[in-house]
Amino acid sequence: MGQLCAGRVAIVTGGGRGLGREYALMLAEQGAKVVVNDLGSTAAGEGADLSPAQRVVDDIRRAGGEAIVNGNDVSDWAGAKALIDDAINSFGRLDVLIKNAGILRDRMMVNMTEAEWDAVIKVHLKGTFAPSHHAAQYWRQESKTRGKPVSARLINTSSASGIFGNVGQSNYGAAKAGIAAFTIISAKELRQYGITVNAIAPRAQTRMTEGLRERTEDEIKRRNPRWVAPIVVWLASEESADVTGRVFEAGDGILKVAEGWHAGPGIDPIEDPNELGPQVLEMVRNARPNADIWGRDIVS
């Protein structure tokens, strides 16, 4: 059986632990050269420590693969550019950018501070856009230089909290919903250059989800980040060229294509709001129920 990503160069942000670690290891197993990017901060985004990323790189090298550490802040414009440049300067090219870095500052919306909102939006949303922008510029120029499309991949990280909603995560969920929309729009914009854009909404046991609820040993095994890595690695390969603008739920015993907003029941416009009200209530009754809004635990 061949290596799915042989010769490809991939960046994994947040690659030092959890999901990112599994992505980096499996990419290397499948022949990719990997840039393991990780600030090494806490789950709340505090501090910095490159040792988790270095351990992943050491594991890859011991297994005979090629990898380097990168400690740039992907939510910083210059830092994101330096990350892309590091991959190209070190390995001569870039084929795949996987954005997995993230933090949590969970709090009910009425108690959330401006700093808690800004920190989460910056790391997740800007930390997705900034490196994507610089990578896409590189690939667009490569496409023009070659006179044909490249075979490049942007893989983002959304969340069930973003596509379904979850109490206590208005900052995180808003960022993750934004990433899902960013994925769809970017896919439309970049397809002409041979760049596909997809996202993962992972269900996994990581330091960001530990302690949110009690889980059985079997549930923890089902939520091992290793179960999410295969779809990410396949999307990183050249075989996935016909798949773009999609969000995949993965892990905890599932692999699904998430489907976005759909137009539901409708009525003709009514000018008088007094007459409109009963019609709106009937329209909502006929719409598909949104059970998740009433408290199902969907954190991933």
Side-chain angles (χ1 to χ4, degrees), residues 150-183:
V150 295
S151 182
R153 308 286 181 262
L154 290 174
I155 303 172
N156 303 322
T157 304
S158 185
S159 169
S161 182
I163 58 180
F164 299 123
N166 197 50
V167 172
Q169 294 191 313
S170 59
N171 50 2
Y172 179 77
K176 292 303 189 183
I179 289 170
F182 175 83
T183 297

Side-chain angles (χ1 to χ4, degrees), residues 58-129:
D58 291 343
D59 288 343
I60 290 172
R61 289 175 176 172
R62 274 193 294 269
E66 295 184 57
I68 62 169
V69 171
N70 179 280
N72 287 105
D73 179 356
V74 294
S75 68
D76 175 81
W77 193 252
K81 177 65 163 59
L83 168 62
I84 303 305
D85 291 344
D86 195 13
I88 298 166
N89 293 335
S90 298
F91 295 120
R93 58 187 290 171
L94 176 65
D95 302 287
V96 182
L97 173 59
I98 300 169
K99 280 120 328 148
N100 172 71
I103 64 171
L104 285 179
R105 299 281 179 88
D106 288 359
R107 197 178 299 277
M108 299 299 282
M109 188 270 288
V110 294
N111 295 322
M112 188 173 293
T113 67
E114 182 181 12
E116 288 166 338
W117 174 272
D118 287 348
V120 170
I121 296 298
K122 182 175 186 284
V123 171
H124 288 277
L125 204 48
K126 188 176 179 182
T128 295
F129 165 64

Side-chain angles (χ1 to χ4, degrees), residues 135-258:
Q137 282 200 326
Y138 162 73
W139 288 323
R140 181 181 63 175
Q141 186 56 51
E142 283 291 294
S143 176
K144 290 179 178 180
T145 300
R146 298 178 190 181
K148 63 180 182 179
V150 295
S151 182
R153 308 286 181 262
L154 290 174
I155 303 172
N156 303 322
T157 304
S158 185
S159 169
S161 182
I163 58 180
F164 299 123
N166 197 50
V167 172
Q169 294 191 313
S170 59
N171 50 2
Y172 179 77
K176 292 303 189 183
I179 289 170
F182 175 83
T183 297
I184 295 167
I185 296 165
S186 297
K188 294 179 178 180
E189 293 180 354
L190 299 176
R191 187 61 188 268
Q192 62 182 311
Y193 305 115
I195 306 166
T196 67
V197 190
N198 293 286
I200 305 296
R203 296 174 180 264
Q205 190 79 355
T206 68
R207 63 178 183 153
M208 288 178 65
T209 60
E210 288 175 351
L212 293 177
R213 57 165 286 187
E214 292 293 324
R215 299 190 188 276
T216 67
E217 185 176 336
D218 183 59
E219 286 175 328
I220 292 173
K221 288 180 180 178
R222 283 163 51 93
R223 292 173 63 86
N224 189 311
R226 187 77 174 174
W227 289 107
V228 183
I231 180 62
V232 172
V233 173
W234 184 80
L235 288 172
S237 76
E238 293 195 74
E239 287 189 8
S240 65
D242 293 329
V243 178
T244 193
R246 294 291 189 173
V247 178
F248 294 88
E249 290 187 85
D252 198 16
I254 67 165
L255 178 59
K256 300 179 179 179
V257 177

Side-chain angles (χ1 to χ4, degrees), residues 277-292:
Q279 298 298 316
V280 171
L281 291 173
E282 180 63 21
M283 182 170 58
V284 171
R285 278 192 289 268
N286 291 329
R288 293 186 298 176
N290 187 3
D292 295 321

